[in-house]
Amino acid sequence: MTSNNYQSISLSDTTIPKVNTLTMFRLGLFNLGIGLISVLTLAVLNRVMIAELGIPASIAAGVLAISQLVSPTRIWLGQLSDGKKLFGFHRTGYIRLGVIISGIAIFFAIQLVWLLGSNIIINNGWQWNNVTIFVSILLAIVFVVQGIATGACSTPFTALLVDISDEDNRSKIVATIWSMLMVGIVIGGISGKILLNNLSGVEGEGIPLATLQAPINGIFLVVPIIVVILTLVATWGVEKKYSRFRQRSSFQDREEGVSFKKALKILTSSRQTGIFFSFLVMITLSLFMQEAVLEPYGAEVFNMPIGDTTLLNSFWGVGILLGYGTTGFFVVPRLGKNNTTRLGCILVALSFGLIIFSGLTQTPSVLKGAMVLFGIAAGITTIGAISLMLDLTAAETAGTFVGAWGLAQSLSRGIAIAVGGWILDLGRFLFNNPWLAYSLVFVCEALCIIGAIALLNRVNVQEFQATTRKATAMVMEGDLD
């Protein structure tokens, strides 16, 4: 692309107003809603399945992970929103339809969980029979739909952020909206604490199924409706007023030609991109392996009520916000991107040690403090890694790199959730002690983050910049096919 092409696009963009601060926060309402949905699935649903109903952790974590493992469809969905309008818009129609389908899927998922719970009560424990097999398959299908629907709204939403932004304000938009995701998680955790705090059962027997159903069904009905409303408010008039997509359509054909296969070739063609790709995988495994087991850990090891375990996400979310807020403004300018990321990784490992220690002492206050530290550490690691990622992105194919790394993160997160459940079941098989079983998961996460540090030490931005443009050009031209 010549400088004249860039100049003409820049000039045409001047006729479209820039996104103001109020609109940034309004757009953030979408991510706030996504945060609320994540609390439903990974704080309430997994706790109910594992701790209250006795569904094996490998089954519970496995079906939850499926929604992440279908993430390859995000590339197709992103390309679809580029080429075909839905309800008159390239992005907004997909965003709204995806949120609606996701909310419906979440409500159907909890109804299937109740069927599994009823079968467990009838058989006095989990048994593989026609009902559990059929319902488990249906639950997996529901989460396939939910995962695709999430991609159908989140991928075009991210593309919308690109459409409405320029280089000088893109970082502000992304930072504001990403922080709103954490705000949604915090609000979801606090709301869950308030709404579910009165649920209790006979000690040693858990909460009766009839006691659980009414309040949790209400939450799984009301929250998706709220999220749909937030999405409508967030996207109302934004694409029509601020989108520069039509002015930038000269890039469209090239972007549609970037397939998943080509993206993987670009990532693996350079030694540095391969190293950084592996680094992101290790970080994701470390940060999310505990996602499906944390609330059951609070239930089984600390005997915490369901409201208190849901609130653990809020402690983590507050830590994340502190990590985000301080790292970009204070830590990175003083330590640099590599050292900041390394510091975050070390703090993550220490956090897991503190989480294990809290279970040994059965001190809920120590666990809550550990979750705040874990959030701060995750925030530092995330901002440092994103900063490195921007340095390790060739300008000519930024969408390819960011999209492929986002795909890798989603796949790794799905694998991490499933592996966390499998490791927990393995720990239960090896140890006749819940604390040791859960500690095995946290130890594996600490080992992953140590592996990430080893890979980080091999990342070299200068080498990447010297080799990636050539490799990218070769892949895009088909010379590496």
Side-chain angles (χ1 to χ4, degrees):
M1 185 69 64
T2 66
S3 59
N4 289 335
N5 293 125
Y6 282 122
Q7 186 177 10
S8 62
I9 293 171
S10 176
L11 289 172
S12 63
D13 283 352
T14 59
T15 62
I16 300 175
K18 285 185 175 292
V19 176
N20 55 43
T21 302
L22 180 61
T23 303
M24 292 182 195
F25 280 100
R26 182 159 67 87
L27 279 165
L29 293 175
F30 169 81
N31 257 14
L32 190 150
I34 296 299
L36 293 175
I37 289 288
S38 70
V39 172
L40 284 187
T41 55
L42 294 170
V44 178
L45 189 61
N46 73 305
R47 154 76 193 245
V48 169
M49 293 174 73
I50 297 173
E52 309 304 335
L53 301 182
I55 297 172
S58 55
I59 301 298
V63 295
L64 291 174
I66 286 175
S67 63
Q68 298 291 331
L69 297 178
V70 297
S71 57
T73 59
R74 296 187 178 206
I75 291 179
W76 171 71
L77 290 166
Q79 293 173 336
L80 192 64
S81 72
D82 282 341
K84 295 183 179 180
K85 291 183 178 181
L86 184 62
F87 306 128
F89 296 99
H90 278 285
R91 316 296 186 192
T92 306
Y94 292 94
I95 296 168
R96 293 172 177 173
L97 181 62
V99 165
I100 292 171
I101 294 176
S102 179
I104 294 172
I106 289 295
F107 183 77
F108 272 108
I110 194 66
Q111 306 313 311
L112 292 173
V113 167
W114 300 140
L115 290 178
L116 287 176
S118 299
N119 189 259
I120 289 171
I121 293 173
I122 292 172
N123 293 285
N124 197 27
W126 176 270
Q127 292 183 15
W128 283 110
N129 53 42
N130 291 336
V131 174
T132 54
I133 292 173
F134 179 69
V135 177
S136 295
I137 292 173
L138 281 181
L139 191 59
I141 293 172
V142 167
F143 274 103
V144 167
V145 173
Q146 195 269 337
I148 294 173
T150 299
C153 60
S154 61
T155 303
F157 180 77
T158 304
L160 177 63
L161 299 185
V162 176
D163 294 343
I164 66 173
S165 65
D166 298 303
E167 289 186 10
D168 59 349
N169 68 345
R170 188 166 294 158
S171 61
K172 296 178 182 178
I173 293 174
V174 172
T176 302
I177 292 172
W178 192 256
S179 296
M180 291 285 278
L181 175 65
M182 295 300 106
V183 172
I185 292 174
V186 172
I187 292 174
I190 295 174
S191 301
K193 162 70 174 177
I194 295 171
L195 295 172
L196 302 175
N197 197 42
N198 293 328
L199 293 180
S200 61
V202 179
E203 187 172 349
E205 297 182 9
I207 303 173
L209 183 60
T211 305
L212 284 171
Q213 280 186 281
I216 292 181
N217 273 342
I219 292 173
F220 274 69
L221 176 63
V222 172
V223 170
I225 292 174
I226 292 174
V227 173
V228 170
I229 294 172
L230 289 174
T231 300
L232 291 174
V233 174
T235 58
W236 194 268
V238 171
E239 183 172 355
K240 183 177 181 179
K241 182 176 181 180
Y242 297 104
S243 178
R244 291 144 168 79
F245 179 78
R246 293 186 65 181
Q247 283 75 14
R248 297 170 178 173
S249 60
S250 56
F251 296 103
Q252 184 176 348
D253 292 339
R254 181 177 179 182
E255 290 300 315
E256 288 179 347
V258 180
S259 65
F260 178 49
K261 181 179 179 181
K262 287 184 177 180
L264 287 181
K265 285 184 177 181
I266 293 172
L267 285 170
T268 56
S269 62
S270 168
R271 187 178 78 97
Q272 281 300 313
T273 53
I275 292 171
F276 193 69
F277 179 83
S278 301
F279 167 72
L280 288 179
V281 168
M282 295 298 285
I283 280 185
T284 305
L285 289 174
S286 177
L287 294 182
F288 294 103
M289 203 181 293
Q290 48 73 39
E291 195 162 38
V293 304
L294 179 63
E295 287 78 15
Y297 179 58
E300 295 187 41
V301 178
F302 296 84
N303 294 316
M304 296 170 67
I306 189 169
D308 285 349
T309 58
T310 303
L311 191 61
L312 290 175
N313 287 274
S314 297
F315 290 102
W316 174 75
V318 168
I320 283 275
L321 287 174
L322 290 173
Y324 285 169
T326 58
T327 303
F329 291 97
F330 302 107
V331 182
V332 172
R334 288 166 174 77
L335 299 182
K337 297 167 186 175
N338 283 69
N339 288 334
T340 297
T341 309
R342 190 175 293 108
L343 172 63
C345 291
I346 293 171
L347 290 177
V348 167
L350 292 176
S351 300
F352 289 129
L354 190 58
I355 291 172
I356 293 171
F357 175 75
S358 69
L360 177 63
T361 60
Q362 292 188 327
T363 309
S365 59
V366 176
L367 177 61
K368 294 172 183 177
M371 292 309 300
V372 174
L373 177 61
F374 178 47
I376 293 172
I380 294 172
T381 303
T382 301
I383 295 300
I386 290 175
S387 299
L388 273 176
M389 186 180 73
L390 295 178
D391 286 348
L392 291 164
T393 299
E396 295 85 350
T397 53
T400 300
F401 274 84
V402 174
W405 280 333
L407 174 61
Q409 186 182 43
S410 296
L411 289 174
S412 300
R413 182 171 180 175
I415 292 170
I417 295 170
V419 168
W422 298 336
I423 293 175
L424 176 57
D425 281 347
L426 175 63
R428 285 173 168 165
F429 175 77
L430 295 175
F431 311 114
N432 189 26
N433 184 308
W435 172 71
L436 288 175
Y438 283 97
S439 295
L440 183 61
V441 179
F442 303 133
V443 167
C444 290
E445 289 184 287
L447 292 175
C448 283
I449 206 68
I450 292 171
I453 294 173
L455 289 168
L456 177 63
N457 292 334
R458 299 175 58 193
V459 172
N460 187 311
V461 176
Q462 287 72 30
E463 179 182 335
F464 169 85
Q465 293 173 342
T467 60
T468 301
R469 287 191 177 184
K470 179 179 178 181
T472 301
M474 292 174 67
V475 170
M476 296 303 292
E477 293 168 4
D479 291 342
L480 297 183
D481 288 340

